[in-house]
Amino acid sequence: MKIGVALGAGSAKGLAHIGVLQVLEENGIKPDVVAGTSMGAVVGGAYAAGISLEQLERVALSIKKENMKQLLPRQLSLKGMVSNEGVKRFLEQFLDAKKIEELPLKFGCVATDIYTGEEIRLTKGPIVEAILASAAIPSFFPVVEHKGRFLADGGLVNPVPVSLARSLGADFVIGVNVISISRRKERLRENEEEGEGFVERMKNALRKLIEGEEESPPNMLAVFLSAIDIMEEQIVLSKLRLHPPDVFIHVDTSDVSSKEYYRAREIIEKGRKVTQKIIDYIKYLLESYRG
């Protein structure tokens, strides 16, 4: 029997996948198949490539507020508000020029054809390119050209890719959703700097987003990212009705912003805690499935 995990989208919230995988491994549950979308593709791709969870955790914990600029360098252009070069260099440190078909574990990730709206399953070719495509939040990151198509975030069509995990050969699928809409009320901004033009407001909003500062009332970037979360939450619900996993793990990240990568320790712990609560149930289901 092949065990699969479907790791969902969620930007910084997706660091919780590390905690989920840690608890599974600690209890002898080692996936044979890994499917991921967006941040789930980042964590899942690295895991499928043989990078240990301990190393993944160390890398996540190394992300600080002060180095967010290097990871997400600003670019105010029509291609996207943030360049993906920082993320690309970051991924290449660990994944080099590996191809998906050469990985120790079966892996695939989901992207979206931005013109046709089709779900594109990336199961072959350079893994870094596939991950960048799967995680290309529309308008935030530039789209990725792949075989004549222009690809964006897979969360637009399949935020928790259970169906992909099954198509890759998984018999028993553990689906992990980390998308929770933030319930925090933004503080009202008391005043605005007089004479601040549109371009300056854009630059300041982008700076605060990247550096982790809160902006109140929510600026256009905060609203945009929240809108993506809301949309993906609804897609998750509809997709899971069509393609239910054998086990569904939902990590409550409603108090975490999509940009708060520097809260890695806390986010990973959220994944650990919720998985520890149901690990006996997961083991019971696996034993029952094996007969």
Side-chain angles (χ1 to χ4, degrees):
M1 182 181 71
K2 291 186 177 180
I3 299 171
V5 290
L7 307 179
S11 299
K13 302 175 183 185
L15 294 175
H17 293 311
I18 297 173
V20 173
L21 291 169
Q22 285 175 339
V23 174
L24 292 178
E25 273 203 0
E26 288 164 6
N27 286 270
I29 302 171
K30 176 76 173 179
D32 306 286
V33 174
V34 182
T37 296
S38 199
M39 193 60 189
V42 176
V43 174
Y47 183 68
I51 297 175
S52 71
L53 293 172
E54 291 73 22
Q55 185 177 355
L56 274 176
E57 183 174 23
R58 284 197 302 272
V59 170
L61 294 176
S62 73
I63 301 174
K64 309 296 181 185
K65 276 188 181 183
E66 52 268 25
N67 59 21
M68 288 294 289
K69 286 183 179 180
Q70 287 73 44
L71 186 62
L72 301 173
R74 289 172 279 174
Q75 64 165 30
L76 290 176
S77 77
L78 293 177
K79 291 184 177 180
M81 292 178 282
V82 173
S83 169
N84 63 7
E85 286 302 314
V87 176
K88 183 179 181 181
R89 289 192 297 270
F90 184 75
L91 292 173
E92 286 175 342
Q93 292 179 53
F94 311 100
L95 300 174
D96 301 316
K98 288 185 172 68
K99 291 186 176 180
I100 294 174
E101 57 268 34
E102 299 169 350
L103 302 183
L105 297 179
K106 196 82 171 177
F107 173 72
C109 60
V110 174
T112 305
D113 185 313
I114 204 64
Y115 283 128
T116 67
E118 292 176 82
E119 176 182 329
I120 306 299
R121 295 179 173 183
L122 302 170
T123 58
K124 293 181 180 180
I127 186 172
V128 171
E129 180 183 305
I131 291 172
L132 289 176
S134 184
I137 301 172
S139 298
F140 190 73
F141 286 117
V143 297
V144 174
E145 186 174 359
H146 176 77
K147 295 183 178 179
R149 293 177 179 266
F150 292 93
L151 305 183
D153 197 306
L156 298 172
V157 290
N158 198 351
V160 182
V162 174
S163 54
L164 174 57
R166 293 204 190 280
S167 73
L168 290 172
D171 303 300
F172 186 97
V173 178
I174 300 169
V176 187
N177 176 49
V178 298
I179 298 173
S180 298
I181 306 306
S182 176
R183 310 299 178 190
R184 294 181 300 173
K185 291 185 178 179
E186 297 284 345
R187 297 188 308 273
L188 292 177
R189 185 174 179 178
E190 294 181 355
N191 53 59
E192 282 197 23
E193 295 179 23
E194 290 188 13
E196 189 181 68
F198 174 75
V199 173
E200 284 303 311
R201 289 200 301 273
M202 280 287 293
K203 287 181 179 178
N204 287 332
L206 188 56
R207 174 182 61 78
K208 290 181 178 182
L209 177 70
I210 291 172
E211 295 176 2
E213 298 178 21
E214 292 210 348
E215 172 77 1
S216 300
N219 59 57
M220 61 181 295
L221 294 175
V223 170
F224 173 75
L225 291 175
S226 181
I228 292 288
D229 280 350
I230 293 169
M231 177 188 66
E232 289 184 344
E233 185 180 53
Q234 295 304 311
I235 297 171
V236 167
L237 295 175
S238 61
K239 279 285 185 179
L240 290 179
R241 292 189 190 101
L242 292 173
H243 304 285
D246 297 281
V247 174
F248 179 63
I249 299 175
H250 173 71
V251 184
D252 184 2
T253 58
S254 57
D255 62 339
V256 177
S257 165
S258 296
K259 63 182 182 290
E260 293 178 320
Y261 290 93
Y262 49 86
R263 293 176 62 189
R265 188 181 304 279
E266 179 185 348
I267 298 169
I268 292 171
E269 186 59 25
K270 287 178 180 289
R272 287 189 59 86
K273 283 183 176 179
V274 71
T275 311
Q276 285 170 337
K277 286 181 180 178
I278 62 169
I279 192 63
D280 288 339
Y281 176 66
I282 295 173
K283 290 192 285 187
Y284 167 77
L285 287 179
L286 280 168
E287 289 302 316
S288 298
Y289 193 97
R290 288 171 175 142

